């Protein structure tokens, strides 16, 4: 089974493609692309341009990694002090959900509490559960790995 874990970000969303073979979890993109850098030409544009770009990137990931059976999105933890960046990240999540709907791939939206982790433990748990990337290893990438791992457990 193969799951795509996704963590939105207004400038550089992260994704993890995790496979499970028996009890072994493998991060398929550990040494390759995992960071979707929004092109500078549209980074500050209206939401429509960025969302169309994100939608196409998700379809590209599906094509590059055939067999993805589920997508798990780690959402932001919303508070009363939400920011424009958090809203843009939520819009990015919506583009992922739309791409999944068009490819008939189930998608689940999760927060830390529903994935059995916390922000402080995300990196450590992702490394223990699956692996870390060779480049750009950060909390957002760990969130994507943990989301994919959680999706494979069920």
């Amino acid at each position: 089974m193969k799951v795509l874990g996704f963590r939105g970000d207004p400038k550089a969303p992260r994704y993890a493609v995790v496979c499970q073979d028996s009890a072994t979890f493998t991060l398929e993109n550990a040494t390759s692309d995992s960071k979707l850098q929004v092109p500078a030409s549209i980074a500050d544009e209206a939401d429509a341009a960025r969302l169309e770009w994100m939608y196409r990137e998700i379809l590209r990931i599906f094509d590059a990694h055939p067999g993805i059976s589920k997508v798990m999105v780690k959402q932001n933890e919303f508070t009363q002090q939400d920011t424009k960046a958090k809203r843009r990240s939520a819009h990015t999540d919506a583009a992922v959900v739309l791409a999944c709907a068009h490819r008939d791939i189930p998608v689940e939206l999760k927060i830390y509490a529903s994935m059995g982790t916390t922000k402080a433990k995300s990196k450590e748990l992702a490394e223990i559960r699956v692996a870390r990337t060779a480049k750009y290893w950060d909390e957002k990438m760990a969130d994507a790995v943990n989301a994919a791992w959680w999706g494979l457990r069920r």
Side-chain angles (χ1 to χ4, degrees):
M1 187 170 172
K2 188 185 301 189
V3 172
L4 171 68
F6 183 83
R7 178 64 158 104
D9 181 85
K11 295 187 179 187
R14 306 303 301 278
Y15 72 95
V17 180
V18 178
C19 302
Q20 181 181 16
D21 182 22
S22 189
T24 305
F25 297 95
T26 305
L27 180 57
E28 237 183 52
N29 61 326
T31 59
S32 62
D33 193 20
S34 66
K35 186 176 186 180
L36 301 173
Q37 189 69 47
V38 177
S41 61
I42 63 169
D44 294 322
E45 292 294 314
D47 287 335
R50 285 182 301 99
L51 295 179
E52 180 181 8
W53 173 82
M54 177 55 57
Y55 173 82
R56 293 184 191 287
E57 285 298 295
I58 296 302
L59 296 180
R60 181 188 62 78
I61 292 167
F62 290 156
D63 292 341
H65 299 276
I68 291 173
S69 59
K70 185 190 296 185
V71 175
M72 302 294 290
V73 177
K74 167 46 182 94
Q75 290 183 289
N76 284 316
E77 310 286 324
F78 290 103
T79 65
Q80 291 180 342
Q81 290 80 29
D82 287 341
T83 63
K84 184 176 182 180
K86 277 191 178 182
R87 288 190 299 274
R88 279 190 156 186
S89 181
H91 298 164
T92 301
D93 294 350
V96 174
V97 172
L98 181 62
C100 291
H102 287 168
R103 290 284 176 102
D104 201 26
I105 297 173
V107 63
E108 290 184 42
L109 302 159
K110 296 289 188 182
I111 59 173
Y112 287 125
S114 63
M115 292 190 322
T117 189
T118 63
K119 183 177 183 176
K121 293 184 178 185
S122 187
K123 285 174 73 175
E124 176 187 355
L125 287 175
E127 289 181 45
I128 291 168
R129 291 170 170 170
V130 183
R132 63 179 287 161
T133 55
K135 293 181 1 179
Y136 308 120
W137 182 244
D138 62 9
E139 185 181 282
K140 292 190 187 271
M141 187 60 205
D143 288 347
V145 171
N146 280 315
W149 176 85
W150 188 260
L152 285 167
R153 293 185 55 234
R154 306 163 48 345

